[in-house]
Amino acid sequence: MPNTSNHAAWIKAQGQALTVSDVPMPQPGAGEILVRNRAVALNPFDGIVQTLGSLVTPWLRYPAILGSDVSGEVVAVGPSVSRFKPGDRVLGLALGIDKLANRAAEGAFQNHVILRQEAATVLPDSVSFEQAAVLPLAIATAACGLFLEDQLGLRTPCVEAPMPTGKTVLIWGGSSSVGSAAIQLATAAGYEVVTTASPRNFDYVLGLGASRVFDYNDTDVVATMTKELGKRDMAGALAIAVGSGAPCIDIMSRCRGRRIVSMASPPVPIDDAPLGSQLLWKLRRLPRLLAGFVGLAIRARLRGVSTRSIWGTALMKGALGATIFNDFLGPALASGRVVPAPKPLVAGHSLHALAEALALLRRGVSASKVVVSL
Ligand SMILES: NC(=O)c1ccc[n+]([C@@H]2O[C@H](COP(=O)([O-])OP(=O)(O)OC[C@H]3O[C@@H](n4cnc5c(N)ncnc54)[C@H](OP(=O)(O)O)[C@@H]3O)[C@@H](O)[C@H]2O)c1
């Protein structure tokens, strides 16, 4: 192995700040690859796990290394790895905080990370590490919502021009990272996509393949979209962004086809809990969160719509993970069927930049993804 030193940004316990220090160099086991990270992207969930780990990832062992999105070069491969070799440029979904792994060696926020081969993709030379890092969790979350049998259960995507299904998917929040991935995956599976975004991002989402876009800030957006979608045969809705569940339920209740909404986001924000003690925050926010979920369940029941919540790494429990990361994404990036989107917003060039990068993400982004190059 060419390098024996490894560094990570880790947290000692829930609510703690990131600390950068030496950590052991991970060794790849069967079916695993060791990757020298060149870029990592940040997700709202990273900050949520940092502050609310006991609520959202109660299994997590500390000290923990957070982060899901990586791209870099393969340094070593474990036994029974056939798809990757040292020197390959890859992107990957790091599973360190997931119940499946629960292991610091698989957390993204370090210089060397262990990836499972079924969660990694060889990159074409045309895609930079910073561009690639925006994709993994967004693609995984969108794929879970669109394709898992217990979610929308849609036909899976293909690299060649897909046979049109004649059906439409509503993707609420098309300019988010998850939305950008969802538009591309759904169109690659042969579905027409109708989406929402702010007007400044209309051209962006249409460029990714959506056929119509509506401004979610309009007060009559539900009525306008219902009028448009009421004419179509619907395959379901993907609700991305806080508060998107209710309008999606309302629209789908008045449409033909499958009245089902897969939800990626909670009904109220949970990404603003402070470091340190979260007691006051929890006393104020958790009752609102609970009321939000109960309200959504009642709304859906009254309107005859079925709802699901998405766990963005659930695809790794079955064959869908390898279908997306090994079979589809590499060729799709090489052919241009999938483009790396949204654009990376590079917030720094070392593990020390991650804390400020998380703060930047908390302040909010539009059609961009916060990335740190390493
Ligand atoms: N369940 C899971 O496993 C999982 C996994 C990943 C992400 N998520 C969740 O999915 C959501 C998106 O994550 P992300 O990383 O893709 O976010 P992101 O890119 O940081 O989200 C920013 C984008 O969201 C759009 N947006 C904000 N509020 C909106 C609203 N009310 N309706 C429609 N669009 C809105 C903005 O659009 P404009 O700038 O055009 O206004 C902006 O482009 C977050 O809530 C995140 O926590 C869940």
Side-chain angles (χ1 to χ4, degrees), residues 16 18-19 93 100 114 117 159 182 186 229 232 243 255-256 258 263 269 288 304 308 323 326 329 338 359 368:
Q16 301 279 305
L18 294 174
T19 306
L93 177 66
L100 206 61
I114 295 290
Q117 64 173 343
V159 179
L229 294 176
R232 295 162 182 255
C255 287
R256 287 190 294 121
R258 294 188 66 223
M263 300 184 291
R288 272 183 63 200
R308 310 279 192 272
T323 301
N326 295 158
L329 190 54
V338 168
S368 57

Side-chain angles (χ1 to χ4, degrees), residues 42-46 48 69 134 137-138 140-142 144 171-181 196-202 204-205 214-217 239-244 247 263-266 270-271 309-314 342 361 364-370:
L42 291 96
N43 289 283
F45 200 57
D46 300 328
I48 294 170
D69 286 338
V134 310
L137 185 64
T141 306
C144 287
I171 295 175
W172 190 284
S175 63
S176 66
S177 295
V178 176
S180 302
T196 65
S198 291
R200 61 173 176 258
N201 290 321
F202 277 11
Y204 168 71
V205 293
F214 295 84
D215 181 359
Y216 65 85
N217 303 293
I240 306 158
V242 171
S244 57
M263 300 184 291
S265 306
I270 58 167
D271 60 354
S309 285
I310 300 170
W311 184 255
T313 52
L361 177 60
V365 293
S366 176
S368 57
K369 182 129 196 134
V370 179

Side-chain angles (χ1 to χ4, degrees), residues 20-359:
V20 177
S21 71
D22 282 5
V23 290
M25 175 66 78
Q27 304 297 323
E32 296 176 342
I33 60 179
L34 176 65
V35 172
R36 169 63 173 98
N37 281 339
R38 295 298 175 191
V40 296
L42 291 96
N43 289 283
F45 200 57
D46 300 328
I48 294 170
V49 175
Q50 184 183 18
T51 51
L52 298 174
S54 61
L55 198 66
V56 294
T57 49
W59 54 81
L60 190 58
R61 275 195 290 262
Y62 295 90
I65 300 178
L66 309 179
S68 304
D69 286 338
V70 306
S71 61
E73 293 135 358
V74 177
V75 178
V77 303
S80 71
V81 169
S82 52
R83 289 177 173 269
F84 302 93
K85 59 181 186 323
D88 282 349
R89 299 171 72 253
V90 295
L91 65 71
L93 177 66
L95 292 164
I97 59 165
D98 199 83
K99 203 171 185 177
L100 206 61
N102 195 11
R103 179 182 170 214
E106 296 186 56
F109 294 170
Q110 55 188 325
N111 285 333
H112 293 81
V113 64
I114 295 290
L115 295 179
R116 297 170 183 222
Q117 64 173 343
E118 61 275 20
T121 300
V122 175
L123 289 175
D125 291 341
S126 56
V127 177
S128 72
F129 288 129
E130 288 77 12
Q131 288 175 314
V134 310
L135 289 171
L137 185 64
I139 287 276
T141 306
C144 287
L146 293 170
F147 307 126
L148 284 177
E149 280 305 316
D150 59 355
Q151 298 283 338
L152 299 190
L154 305 185
R155 200 169 77 182
T156 49
C158 43
V159 179
E160 295 77 34
M163 186 80 95
T165 59
K167 294 178 193 295
T168 298
V169 186
L170 163 59
I171 295 175
W172 190 284
S175 63
S176 66
S177 295
V178 176
S180 302
I183 293 170
Q184 299 194 77
L185 288 175
T187 51
Y191 296 86
E192 196 168 337
V193 170
V194 172
T195 192
T196 65
S198 291
R200 61 173 176 258
N201 290 321
F202 277 11
D203 287 345
Y204 168 71
V205 293
L206 294 171
L208 293 176
S211 62
R212 293 290 309 272
V213 54
F214 295 84
D215 181 359
Y216 65 85
N217 303 293
D218 275 353
T219 44
D220 52 358
V221 64
V222 168
T224 318
M225 290 188 79
T226 303
K227 205 166 158 200
E228 170 64 32
L229 294 176
K231 301 179 249 169
R232 295 162 182 255
D233 185 8
M234 297 301 293
L238 200 56
I240 306 158
V242 171
S244 57
C248 285
I249 290 168
D250 290 357
I251 292 167
M252 294 307 288
S253 72
R254 291 176 227 147
C255 287
R256 287 190 294 121
R258 294 188 66 223
R259 296 177 170 188
I260 174 166
V261 178
S262 280
M263 300 184 291
S265 306
V268 298
I270 58 167
D271 60 354
D272 57 348
L275 293 178
S277 167
Q278 295 94 27
L279 187 62
L280 271 181
W281 184 94
K282 280 182 179 164
L283 286 173
R284 288 199 197 104
R285 196 63 57 82
L286 293 188
R288 272 183 63 200
L289 184 65
L290 186 63
F293 277 120
V294 172
L296 276 181
I298 293 171
R299 191 181 202 108
R301 171 67 74 88
L302 290 176
R303 287 164 174 70
V305 175
S306 126
T307 59
R308 310 279 192 272
S309 285
I310 300 170
W311 184 255
T313 52
L315 78 171
M316 300 316 305
K317 281 196 230 144
L320 183 64
T323 301
I324 297 296
F325 282 105
N326 295 158
D327 303 337
F328 172 72
L329 190 54
L333 283 168
S335 71
R337 163 79 45 201
V338 168
V339 296
K343 64 180 180 305
L345 182 62
V346 180
H349 304 283
S350 83
L351 294 170
H352 294 278
L354 283 165
E356 182 45 39
L358 269 176

